[in-house]
Amino acid sequence: MGKTAVQELTARLVAQLKRSGYIRGERVEEAFSKVPRHLFVPHGVTPEEAYRDEVIPLVSGLATLSQPSIVALMLEELEAGPGLRVLEIGTASGYNAALLSRVVGDPALVWTVEIEPRLADWARYNLTAAGFSAVHVLAGDGTLGWAEGAPYARIEVTAEATDLSHHLLAQLDREGILLTPFGVPGLPALLLRLHRQEGGFSGGFVGIPVAFVPLRGEYGTESRSREDGGRRAREAIWAVESEALAQGARPTLDRRLALDLLAAALADGAGLPAPEAAAEAWRRYRAAGRPGLDELGVNVYPLAEYPAPAPAFRRRDYVFCLELPGERNPGGGGESPRREGTP
Ligand code: SAH
């Protein structure tokens, strides 16, 4: 494959991602233009295929080379820039780590953790071949973070999480941003974007459904003991959803996710939502004209500091409190979400 052919394929992909609005800024455009994606694909994948806006499977069900449009979307939402130290969880091919290197201007500022040792080796090889050998690649469980490079100005998780570990949040620098696909097993995820602010973490969901392989490890998607009643929870959700559909409602992702969150919020001590309670909550939520999940703010509190009753879902270390638009802090106001609960 000659140089010009690759350049043409790259230029075509970049133009497409700009047209569709996934690439918005110069930094991300420059990164996509300069990183040779065909050096990050498995044997047998042609350069033509490498530069299509498509997912490329790596390890069945466990690892993929994400679709360029989603990679671009995440890079834009991450708001990384020159000189910022970045931690990526889920290296896979190393392609995104290479893009991050371009965005921050120095591969040595990029730290990336991959749970599959074979993939970590492969990523090191790819990164070196493409001129990014200074990227730090660790074979290990990224839900524990990587203390050596901390604190990080940006943390990007590239597998679907259902929880956040205190290790990761502790390694995020002041004013730092963490971006992760966040969801409920069995339902499509949204991107959760959290800002570290004085005394806490707040942010919200980016309103586009994303499909990622599950995050594994200590705080991975299988570790949700509280949600082990997931089957019953989903049954409850679908019962309510069917009822809404029967009444002529439009099926949307946001509604399903919002409902799931409400169901989780109402979970009893064992973590199992009562179907009637969830149904009732959902009816009230809709009747009040409540917005979708992507319109809600999110505040993250350590379990021990969980404030007054609020729409929220609990995980191992944290409570994720949902904030409705216009219902930010009593006395707070303004655009920037603030933590409440401290007198
Ligand atoms: N960013 C990658 C695509 C990521 S696919 C790229 O640019 O090619 C998700 C990856 O996350 C998979 O390789 C999977 O093995 C890895 N992964 C899953 N759980 C993990 C964990 N706890 N720590 C580190 N990596 C993990």
Side-chain angles (χ1 to χ4, degrees), residues 87-126:
L87 173 67
E88 179 194 35
I89 312 303
T91 318
S93 67
Y95 177 63
N96 188 52
L99 293 171
L100 286 168
S101 302
R102 297 292 316 199
V103 170
V104 299
D106 181 358
L109 290 172
V110 178
W111 305 68
T112 179
V113 186
E114 169 55 53
I115 204 164
E116 282 281 330
R118 281 180 309 145
L119 286 178
D121 287 341
W122 183 55
R124 276 192 204 101
Y125 173 88
N126 296 339

mmCIF file of all heavy atoms in Angstrom, residues 87-126:
data_model
loop_
_atom_site.group_PDB
_atom_site.id
_atom_site.type_symbol
_atom_site.label_atom_id
_atom_site.label_comp_id
_atom_site.label_asym_id
_atom_site.label_seq_id
_atom_site.Cartn_x
_atom_site.Cartn_y
_atom_site.Cartn_z
ATOM 1 N N LEU A 87 -4.817 9.333 31.103
ATOM 2 C CA LEU A 87 -4.875 7.891 31.368
ATOM 3 C C LEU A 87 -6.010 7.293 30.550
ATOM 4 O O LEU A 87 -7.143 7.791 30.591
ATOM 5 C CB LEU A 87 -5.129 7.630 32.859
ATOM 6 C CG LEU A 87 -5.384 6.157 33.248
ATOM 7 C CD1 LEU A 87 -4.129 5.310 33.035
ATOM 8 C CD2 LEU A 87 -5.839 6.066 34.710
ATOM 9 N N GLU A 88 -5.683 6.248 29.793
ATOM 10 C CA GLU A 88 -6.710 5.528 29.046
ATOM 11 C C GLU A 88 -6.878 4.130 29.658
ATOM 12 O O GLU A 88 -5.893 3.484 29.985
ATOM 13 C CB GLU A 88 -6.296 5.379 27.576
ATOM 14 C CG GLU A 88 -7.318 4.599 26.739
ATOM 15 C CD GLU A 88 -6.803 4.133 25.372
ATOM 16 O OE1 GLU A 88 -5.603 3.790 25.267
ATOM 17 O OE2 GLU A 88 -7.597 4.107 24.429
ATOM 18 N N ILE A 89 -8.105 3.687 29.803
ATOM 19 C CA ILE A 89 -8.372 2.324 30.254
ATOM 20 C C ILE A 89 -8.917 1.547 29.060
ATOM 21 O O ILE A 89 -9.964 1.918 28.505
ATOM 22 C CB ILE A 89 -9.442 2.291 31.386
ATOM 23 C CG1 ILE A 89 -9.143 3.311 32.489
ATOM 24 C CG2 ILE A 89 -9.557 0.871 31.954
ATOM 25 C CD1 ILE A 89 -7.818 3.170 33.135
ATOM 26 N N GLY A 90 -8.247 0.485 28.667
ATOM 27 C CA GLY A 90 -8.675 -0.294 27.501
ATOM 28 C C GLY A 90 -7.848 0.059 26.277
ATOM 29 O O GLY A 90 -8.324 0.709 25.350
ATOM 30 N N THR A 91 -6.589 -0.372 26.269
ATOM 31 C CA THR A 91 -5.672 -0.001 25.181
ATOM 32 C C THR A 91 -6.040 -0.649 23.860
ATOM 33 O O THR A 91 -5.972 -0.008 22.814
ATOM 34 C CB THR A 91 -4.220 -0.458 25.526
ATOM 35 O OG1 THR A 91 -3.969 -0.185 26.898
ATOM 36 C CG2 THR A 91 -3.213 0.223 24.647
ATOM 37 N N ALA A 92 -6.379 -1.938 23.922
ATOM 38 C CA ALA A 92 -6.632 -2.763 22.735
ATOM 39 C C ALA A 92 -5.519 -2.588 21.709
ATOM 40 O O ALA A 92 -4.383 -2.934 21.978
ATOM 41 C CB ALA A 92 -8.018 -2.485 22.165
ATOM 42 N N SER A 93 -5.812 -1.989 20.560
ATOM 43 C CA SER A 93 -4.819 -1.872 19.492
ATOM 44 C C SER A 93 -3.770 -0.805 19.772
ATOM 45 O O SER A 93 -2.703 -0.803 19.163
ATOM 46 C CB SER A 93 -5.527 -1.503 18.193
ATOM 47 O OG SER A 93 -6.063 -0.190 18.329
ATOM 48 N N GLY A 94 -4.106 0.156 20.627
ATOM 49 C CA GLY A 94 -3.224 1.299 20.846
ATOM 50 C C GLY A 94 -3.568 2.489 19.964
ATOM 51 O O GLY A 94 -2.972 3.554 20.091
ATOM 52 N N TYR A 95 -4.551 2.314 19.078
ATOM 53 C CA TYR A 95 -4.887 3.401 18.150
ATOM 54 C C TYR A 95 -5.309 4.677 18.878
ATOM 55 O O TYR A 95 -4.804 5.770 18.603
ATOM 56 C CB TYR A 95 -5.999 2.935 17.197
ATOM 57 C CG TYR A 95 -6.476 4.017 16.248
ATOM 58 C CD1 TYR A 95 -5.612 4.568 15.316
ATOM 59 C CD2 TYR A 95 -7.795 4.473 16.287
ATOM 60 C CE1 TYR A 95 -6.040 5.567 14.443
ATOM 61 C CE2 TYR A 95 -8.239 5.461 15.411
ATOM 62 C CZ TYR A 95 -7.358 6.008 14.501
ATOM 63 O OH TYR A 95 -7.787 6.991 13.650
ATOM 64 N N ASN A 96 -6.210 4.532 19.828
ATOM 65 C CA ASN A 96 -6.669 5.728 20.538
ATOM 66 C C ASN A 96 -5.538 6.352 21.364
ATOM 67 O O ASN A 96 -5.459 7.571 21.499
ATOM 68 C CB ASN A 96 -7.869 5.387 21.434
ATOM 69 C CG ASN A 96 -8.507 6.621 22.028
ATOM 70 O OD1 ASN A 96 -8.841 7.555 21.309
ATOM 71 N ND2 ASN A 96 -8.633 6.645 23.343
ATOM 72 N N ALA A 97 -4.652 5.501 21.903
ATOM 73 C CA ALA A 97 -3.501 6.027 22.648
ATOM 74 C C ALA A 97 -2.613 6.869 21.723
ATOM 75 O O ALA A 97 -2.074 7.905 22.128
ATOM 76 C CB ALA A 97 -2.703 4.882 23.261
ATOM 77 N N ALA A 98 -2.493 6.439 20.472
ATOM 78 C CA ALA A 98 -1.716 7.211 19.501
ATOM 79 C C ALA A 98 -2.395 8.554 19.216
ATOM 80 O O ALA A 98 -1.740 9.600 19.167
ATOM 81 C CB ALA A 98 -1.547 6.411 18.210
ATOM 82 N N LEU A 99 -3.732 8.508 19.052
ATOM 83 C CA LEU A 99 -4.461 9.761 18.822
ATOM 84 C C LEU A 99 -4.281 10.700 20.019
ATOM 85 O O LEU A 99 -4.032 11.905 19.856
ATOM 86 C CB LEU A 99 -5.952 9.490 18.615
ATOM 87 C CG LEU A 99 -6.355 8.737 17.340
ATOM 88 C CD1 LEU A 99 -7.834 8.368 17.401
ATOM 89 C CD2 LEU A 99 -6.082 9.596 16.096
ATOM 90 N N LEU A 100 -4.399 10.140 21.218
ATOM 91 C CA LEU A 100 -4.226 10.952 22.429
ATOM 92 C C LEU A 100 -2.838 11.584 22.450
ATOM 93 O O LEU A 100 -2.676 12.749 22.825
ATOM 94 C CB LEU A 100 -4.435 10.092 23.679
ATOM 95 C CG LEU A 100 -5.886 9.712 24.006
ATOM 96 C CD1 LEU A 100 -5.939 8.628 25.089
ATOM 97 C CD2 LEU A 100 -6.689 10.938 24.457
ATOM 98 N N SER A 101 -1.836 10.819 22.020
ATOM 99 C CA SER A 101 -0.471 11.344 21.984
ATOM 100 C C SER A 101 -0.384 12.592 21.114
ATOM 101 O O SER A 101 0.269 13.571 21.468
ATOM 102 C CB SER A 101 0.498 10.305 21.411
ATOM 103 O OG SER A 101 0.477 9.133 22.161
ATOM 104 N N ARG A 102 -1.069 12.543 19.982
ATOM 105 C CA ARG A 102 -1.065 13.716 19.090
ATOM 106 C C ARG A 102 -1.794 14.878 19.737
ATOM 107 O O ARG A 102 -1.365 16.024 19.646
ATOM 108 C CB ARG A 102 -1.752 13.396 17.742
ATOM 109 C CG ARG A 102 -1.111 12.332 16.886
ATOM 110 C CD ARG A 102 0.229 12.671 16.302
ATOM 111 N NE ARG A 102 0.386 14.009 15.727
ATOM 112 C CZ ARG A 102 1.356 14.337 14.876
ATOM 113 N NH1 ARG A 102 2.227 13.421 14.462
ATOM 114 N NH2 ARG A 102 1.454 15.553 14.416
ATOM 115 N N VAL A 103 -2.912 14.569 20.371
ATOM 116 C CA VAL A 103 -3.727 15.642 20.952
ATOM 117 C C VAL A 103 -2.985 16.347 22.093
ATOM 118 O O VAL A 103 -3.028 17.570 22.215
ATOM 119 C CB VAL A 103 -5.090 15.089 21.436
ATOM 120 C CG1 VAL A 103 -5.838 16.126 22.254
ATOM 121 C CG2 VAL A 103 -5.938 14.662 20.239
ATOM 122 N N VAL A 104 -2.276 15.586 22.929
ATOM 123 C CA VAL A 104 -1.558 16.232 24.042
ATOM 124 C C VAL A 104 -0.140 16.637 23.635
ATOM 125 O O VAL A 104 0.567 17.295 24.390
ATOM 126 C CB VAL A 104 -1.519 15.350 25.321
ATOM 127 C CG1 VAL A 104 -2.926 15.072 25.801
ATOM 128 C CG2 VAL A 104 -0.752 14.064 25.085
ATOM 129 N N GLY A 105 0.271 16.216 22.440
ATOM 130 C CA GLY A 105 1.538 16.697 21.891
ATOM 131 C C GLY A 105 2.769 15.917 22.320
ATOM 132 O O GLY A 105 3.883 16.277 21.958
ATOM 133 N N ASP A 106 2.583 14.826 23.106
ATOM 134 C CA ASP A 106 3.747 14.077 23.587
ATOM 135 C C ASP A 106 3.310 12.684 24.044
ATOM 136 O O ASP A 106 2.565 12.561 25.015
ATOM 137 C CB ASP A 106 4.382 14.849 24.754
ATOM 138 C CG ASP A 106 5.617 14.142 25.304
ATOM 139 O OD1 ASP A 106 5.961 13.046 24.814
ATOM 140 O OD2 ASP A 106 6.230 14.702 26.233
ATOM 141 N N PRO A 107 3.794 11.628 23.371
ATOM 142 C CA PRO A 107 3.399 10.265 23.750
ATOM 143 C C PRO A 107 3.731 9.934 25.210
ATOM 144 O O PRO A 107 3.051 9.120 25.833
ATOM 145 C CB PRO A 107 4.217 9.377 22.808
ATOM 146 C CG PRO A 107 4.640 10.248 21.683
ATOM 147 C CD PRO A 107 4.707 11.645 22.210
ATOM 148 N N ALA A 108 4.766 10.578 25.767
ATOM 149 C CA ALA A 108 5.171 10.276 27.144
ATOM 150 C C ALA A 108 4.144 10.773 28.163
ATOM 151 O O ALA A 108 4.217 10.438 29.342
ATOM 152 C CB ALA A 108 6.531 10.881 27.429
ATOM 153 N N LEU A 109 3.175 11.577 27.712
ATOM 154 C CA LEU A 109 2.110 12.045 28.616
ATOM 155 C C LEU A 109 0.929 11.078 28.643
ATOM 156 O O LEU A 109 -0.038 11.291 29.358
ATOM 157 C CB LEU A 109 1.605 13.430 28.179
ATOM 158 C CG LEU A 109 2.562 14.595 28.374
ATOM 159 C CD1 LEU A 109 2.002 15.861 27.719
ATOM 160 C CD2 LEU A 109 2.804 14.829 29.861
ATOM 161 N N VAL A 110 1.008 10.030 27.826
ATOM 162 C CA VAL A 110 -0.119 9.096 27.710
ATOM 163 C C VAL A 110 0.181 7.790 28.429
ATOM 164 O O VAL A 110 1.225 7.164 28.197
ATOM 165 C CB VAL A 110 -0.455 8.815 26.230
ATOM 166 C CG1 VAL A 110 -1.597 7.807 26.113
ATOM 167 C CG2 VAL A 110 -0.810 10.112 25.507
ATOM 168 N N TRP A 111 -0.731 7.399 29.315
ATOM 169 C CA TRP A 111 -0.627 6.174 30.099
ATOM 170 C C TRP A 111 -1.844 5.347 29.759
ATOM 171 O O TRP A 111 -2.976 5.852 29.793
ATOM 172 C CB TRP A 111 -0.598 6.515 31.595
ATOM 173 C CG TRP A 111 0.497 7.486 31.935
ATOM 174 C CD1 TRP A 111 0.559 8.800 31.558
ATOM 175 C CD2 TRP A 111 1.691 7.227 32.667
ATOM 176 N NE1 TRP A 111 1.722 9.381 32.014
ATOM 177 C CE2 TRP A 111 2.433 8.435 32.710
ATOM 178 C CE3 TRP A 111 2.203 6.096 33.290
ATOM 179 C CZ2 TRP A 111 3.656 8.529 33.345
ATOM 180 C CZ3 TRP A 111 3.425 6.206 33.952
ATOM 181 C CH2 TRP A 111 4.142 7.404 33.967
ATOM 182 N N THR A 112 -1.641 4.087 29.424
ATOM 183 C CA THR A 112 -2.795 3.296 29.021
ATOM 184 C C THR A 112 -2.701 1.886 29.588
ATOM 185 O O THR A 112 -1.618 1.300 29.638
ATOM 186 C CB THR A 112 -2.959 3.307 27.475
ATOM 187 O OG1 THR A 112 -4.091 2.499 27.115
ATOM 188 C CG2 THR A 112 -1.736 2.791 26.738
ATOM 189 N N VAL A 113 -3.831 1.372 30.058
ATOM 190 C CA VAL A 113 -3.861 0.069 30.733
ATOM 191 C C VAL A 113 -4.767 -0.888 29.966
ATOM 192 O O VAL A 113 -5.881 -0.522 29.583
ATOM 193 C CB VAL A 113 -4.400 0.204 32.181
ATOM 194 C CG1 VAL A 113 -4.274 -1.132 32.922
ATOM 195 C CG2 VAL A 113 -3.662 1.298 32.943
ATOM 196 N N GLU A 114 -4.268 -2.106 29.754
ATOM 197 C CA GLU A 114 -5.029 -3.124 29.028
ATOM 198 C C GLU A 114 -5.040 -4.413 29.844
ATOM 199 O O GLU A 114 -3.992 -4.894 30.260
ATOM 200 C CB GLU A 114 -4.399 -3.354 27.643
ATOM 201 C CG GLU A 114 -4.929 -4.554 26.880
ATOM 202 C CD GLU A 114 -6.442 -4.558 26.693
ATOM 203 O OE1 GLU A 114 -6.993 -3.564 26.191
ATOM 204 O OE2 GLU A 114 -7.076 -5.576 27.077
ATOM 205 N N ILE A 115 -6.219 -4.982 30.045
ATOM 206 C CA ILE A 115 -6.334 -6.147 30.918
ATOM 207 C C ILE A 115 -5.877 -7.441 30.244
ATOM 208 O O ILE A 115 -5.469 -8.396 30.917
ATOM 209 C CB ILE A 115 -7.781 -6.260 31.460
ATOM 210 C CG1 ILE A 115 -7.797 -7.043 32.781
ATOM 211 C CG2 ILE A 115 -8.723 -6.864 30.423
ATOM 212 C CD1 ILE A 115 -9.090 -6.884 33.575
ATOM 213 N N GLU A 116 -5.904 -7.489 28.902
ATOM 214 C CA GLU A 116 -5.462 -8.675 28.163
ATOM 215 C C GLU A 116 -3.977 -8.535 27.855
ATOM 216 O O GLU A 116 -3.593 -7.736 26.990
ATOM 217 C CB GLU A 116 -6.202 -8.779 26.824
ATOM 218 C CG GLU A 116 -7.607 -9.298 26.892
ATOM 219 C CD GLU A 116 -7.651 -10.819 27.020
ATOM 220 O OE1 GLU A 116 -6.711 -11.479 26.505
ATOM 221 O OE2 GLU A 116 -8.599 -11.311 27.647
ATOM 222 N N PRO A 117 -3.126 -9.319 28.498
ATOM 223 C CA PRO A 117 -1.681 -9.161 28.271
ATOM 224 C C PRO A 117 -1.294 -9.258 26.789
ATOM 225 O O PRO A 117 -0.441 -8.503 26.318
ATOM 226 C CB PRO A 117 -1.066 -10.318 29.064
ATOM 227 C CG PRO A 117 -2.091 -10.665 30.099
ATOM 228 C CD PRO A 117 -3.423 -10.360 29.492
ATOM 229 N N ARG A 118 -1.941 -10.175 26.044
ATOM 230 C CA ARG A 118 -1.602 -10.315 24.622
ATOM 231 C C ARG A 118 -1.877 -9.019 23.859
ATOM 232 O O ARG A 118 -1.134 -8.620 22.976
ATOM 233 C CB ARG A 118 -2.438 -11.428 23.973
ATOM 234 C CG ARG A 118 -1.945 -12.844 24.245
ATOM 235 C CD ARG A 118 -2.854 -13.828 23.540
ATOM 236 N NE ARG A 118 -4.271 -13.558 23.879
ATOM 237 C CZ ARG A 118 -5.280 -13.716 23.047
ATOM 238 N NH1 ARG A 118 -5.087 -14.117 21.814
ATOM 239 N NH2 ARG A 118 -6.518 -13.465 23.441
ATOM 240 N N LEU A 119 -2.988 -8.378 24.209
ATOM 241 C CA LEU A 119 -3.323 -7.117 23.540
ATOM 242 C C LEU A 119 -2.341 -6.017 23.944
ATOM 243 O O LEU A 119 -1.959 -5.184 23.120
ATOM 244 C CB LEU A 119 -4.759 -6.690 23.868
ATOM 245 C CG LEU A 119 -5.879 -7.474 23.172
ATOM 246 C CD1 LEU A 119 -7.250 -6.968 23.636
ATOM 247 C CD2 LEU A 119 -5.780 -7.355 21.656
ATOM 248 N N ALA A 120 -1.955 -5.995 25.208
ATOM 249 C CA ALA A 120 -0.992 -4.974 25.659
ATOM 250 C C ALA A 120 0.305 -5.103 24.857
ATOM 251 O O ALA A 120 0.858 -4.098 24.388
ATOM 252 C CB ALA A 120 -0.728 -5.116 27.154
ATOM 253 N N ASP A 121 0.763 -6.341 24.654
ATOM 254 C CA ASP A 121 1.973 -6.562 23.857
ATOM 255 C C ASP A 121 1.785 -6.079 22.423
ATOM 256 O O ASP A 121 2.648 -5.421 21.846
ATOM 257 C CB ASP A 121 2.326 -8.062 23.807
ATOM 258 C CG ASP A 121 2.893 -8.545 25.134
ATOM 259 O OD1 ASP A 121 3.332 -7.693 25.931
ATOM 260 O OD2 ASP A 121 2.878 -9.774 25.364
ATOM 261 N N TRP A 122 0.634 -6.442 21.879
ATOM 262 C CA TRP A 122 0.336 -6.057 20.491
ATOM 263 C C TRP A 122 0.289 -4.531 20.362
ATOM 264 O O TRP A 122 0.821 -3.947 19.407
ATOM 265 C CB TRP A 122 -1.007 -6.698 20.087
ATOM 266 C CG TRP A 122 -1.417 -6.463 18.667
ATOM 267 C CD1 TRP A 122 -0.698 -6.742 17.548
ATOM 268 C CD2 TRP A 122 -2.667 -5.921 18.224
ATOM 269 N NE1 TRP A 122 -1.419 -6.410 16.425
ATOM 270 C CE2 TRP A 122 -2.631 -5.909 16.814
ATOM 271 C CE3 TRP A 122 -3.816 -5.460 18.879
ATOM 272 C CZ2 TRP A 122 -3.702 -5.441 16.049
ATOM 273 C CZ3 TRP A 122 -4.884 -4.995 18.118
ATOM 274 C CH2 TRP A 122 -4.818 -4.991 16.710
ATOM 275 N N ALA A 123 -0.334 -3.873 21.342
ATOM 276 C CA ALA A 123 -0.437 -2.410 21.314
ATOM 277 C C ALA A 123 0.957 -1.779 21.359
ATOM 278 O O ALA A 123 1.244 -0.830 20.621
ATOM 279 C CB ALA A 123 -1.287 -1.910 22.480
ATOM 280 N N ARG A 124 1.826 -2.311 22.221
ATOM 281 C CA ARG A 124 3.203 -1.793 22.301
ATOM 282 C C ARG A 124 3.874 -1.891 20.941
ATOM 283 O O ARG A 124 4.533 -0.963 20.482
ATOM 284 C CB ARG A 124 4.027 -2.594 23.315
ATOM 285 C CG ARG A 124 3.828 -2.114 24.720
ATOM 286 C CD ARG A 124 4.878 -2.715 25.663
ATOM 287 N NE ARG A 124 4.336 -2.698 27.005
ATOM 288 C CZ ARG A 124 3.806 -3.768 27.595
ATOM 289 N NH1 ARG A 124 3.795 -4.930 26.982
ATOM 290 N NH2 ARG A 124 3.300 -3.656 28.802
ATOM 291 N N TYR A 125 3.662 -3.037 20.292
ATOM 292 C CA TYR A 125 4.255 -3.264 18.981
ATOM 293 C C TYR A 125 3.703 -2.248 17.976
ATOM 294 O O TYR A 125 4.465 -1.587 17.246
ATOM 295 C CB TYR A 125 3.956 -4.710 18.541
ATOM 296 C CG TYR A 125 4.369 -5.031 17.138
ATOM 297 C CD1 TYR A 125 5.649 -5.495 16.847
ATOM 298 C CD2 TYR A 125 3.461 -4.866 16.077
ATOM 299 C CE1 TYR A 125 6.024 -5.780 15.551
ATOM 300 C CE2 TYR A 125 3.837 -5.138 14.776
ATOM 301 C CZ TYR A 125 5.110 -5.588 14.514
ATOM 302 O OH TYR A 125 5.475 -5.862 13.225
ATOM 303 N N ASN A 126 2.387 -2.108 17.943
ATOM 304 C CA ASN A 126 1.755 -1.164 17.004
ATOM 305 C C ASN A 126 2.216 0.267 17.251
ATOM 306 O O ASN A 126 2.524 1.011 16.317
ATOM 307 C CB ASN A 126 0.224 -1.210 17.139
ATOM 308 C CG ASN A 126 -0.361 -2.559 16.756
ATOM 309 O OD1 ASN A 126 0.282 -3.331 16.046
ATOM 310 N ND2 ASN A 126 -1.574 -2.829 17.228
#
